[in-house]
Every structure is written in structure tokens, then in C-alpha cells.
Amino acid sequence: MAKCPKCNGSGSVLSHLNLYDANKVGAGMGMHRCDRCAGQGVVHGTSGAGGGQELGNGLMAVIAALFLHPVFSFVGFWLICFGLLLSIAPVLGLSTTGLNDLPNWYGFSAMAIPIVLAVLLRKIIPTMMKWIFYIACVGITLAFVGGIIWGIIERTTSS
């Protein structure tokens, strides 16, 4: 049998797990489980800090797919346009209590307009979404660096 990479070969890998047992495998163990490490696995392969990192990596993959994937970029475009249209509704005076009392025609329009735009702009949306993603990444990085610089300036001027 193969040696377990998690316990440096102290235990042997149990293979041929059914789907129920495979979900109880610890993070990084794949579709197998070591007889020594068997009690350390957690449901869905998330354990401790590694589980949060796996969640973050999965979330980043979803966000990147909504911007960079040729097909999913249309879904990302629709979500951005829909969100923008909903956010300007109170500014236009269509709602006095936020998004709770929007007229039905506006909700339908906010869903339909991005779909029509996606069909009309189908050739440029994947490229446009890539540029929006890159610009957003640069903007977030600049905001982060600016916040650090601002914090340093605040500390030096207050002392």
C-alpha cells in the first residue's frame, strides 16, 4: 500500500473509499485516508486554518471565473449591471426605503436591460470583463497600499 503523505509514511493509505467516506477525508488527502490519520479528518475536507484557505481559494476561483471565463463573464456582466441598476433606484427617487418598495416594472427592467446589453455587446464583453477585473485588482492593491501609507503618516504625525 502507498504511504500517507500527511503522517510522513507512519500509516498506510486506505484506498477505494465510497463517496460517503471520501467526504470525511482531511484536507489535502484527496480520495483516500490513512489508517493512522483516520480520526483527524473533518467533513468536506476542511480542517482548521487550511479549511479557511481552501474556502478562500474556491471563492477567488468563482470571482475570477465571473470575470475571466469566456462564458461565465456574461453572468458577471449581468450581475454587475443588475446591481448598478438596483443601486441607482433610490437616487432616481423610485424608492423611499431603499430597495424594499421598488415598482415591479423597474425590477423587471433591471433584470432585462443587462440581458439585452449582453446580447448586443456579446463580442466585447469577455474582453471588457477582463479589463474590469484587472482594473479592480489594481484599484484594490492601490487602496491597500494607500491605507498602509496613511496609517504610517497618522502614526508619525500623532507622536
Side-chain angles (χ1 to χ4, degrees):
M1 288 192 138
K3 296 295 181 185
C4 175
K6 199 167 191 178
C7 64
N8 296 323
S10 299
S12 57
V13 172
L14 303 172
S15 57
H16 307 297
L17 297 176
N18 62 29
L19 188 58
Y20 177 75
D21 288 336
N23 285 335
K24 294 182 181 177
V25 173
M29 293 295 290
M31 290 292 286
H32 63 272
R33 176 173 57 183
C34 170
D35 55 1
R36 181 181 172 114
C37 301
Q40 298 175 4
V42 184
V43 177
H44 300 299
T46 58
S47 61
Q53 185 176 3
E54 287 178 14
L55 176 65
N57 290 340
L59 185 61
M60 283 305 297
V62 169
I63 291 171
L66 286 175
F67 284 94
L68 303 177
H69 192 275
V71 175
F72 295 141
S73 63
F74 290 97
V75 176
F77 176 79
W78 181 83
L79 285 171
I80 289 172
C81 290
F82 181 66
L84 287 173
L85 288 172
L86 284 181
S87 66
I88 64 169
V91 175
L92 295 174
L94 297 172
S95 172
T96 56
T97 61
L99 300 176
N100 292 334
D101 60 347
L102 283 176
N104 288 338
W105 65 267
Y106 189 80
F108 176 76
S109 298
M111 284 190 285
I113 289 172
I115 293 171
V116 171
L117 284 175
V119 170
L120 293 175
L121 303 173
R122 66 186 170 274
K123 296 198 187 270
I124 65 169
I125 284 180
T127 305
M128 182 177 63
M129 293 299 284
K130 285 180 187 174
W131 279 104
I132 290 172
F133 180 75
Y134 298 145
I135 290 168
C137 288
V138 168
I140 289 170
T141 303
L142 289 175
F144 184 72
V145 170
I148 291 173
I149 292 171
W150 183 262
I152 291 171
I153 291 172
E154 286 289 318
R155 269 195 194 167
T156 57
T157 57
S158 64
S159 40

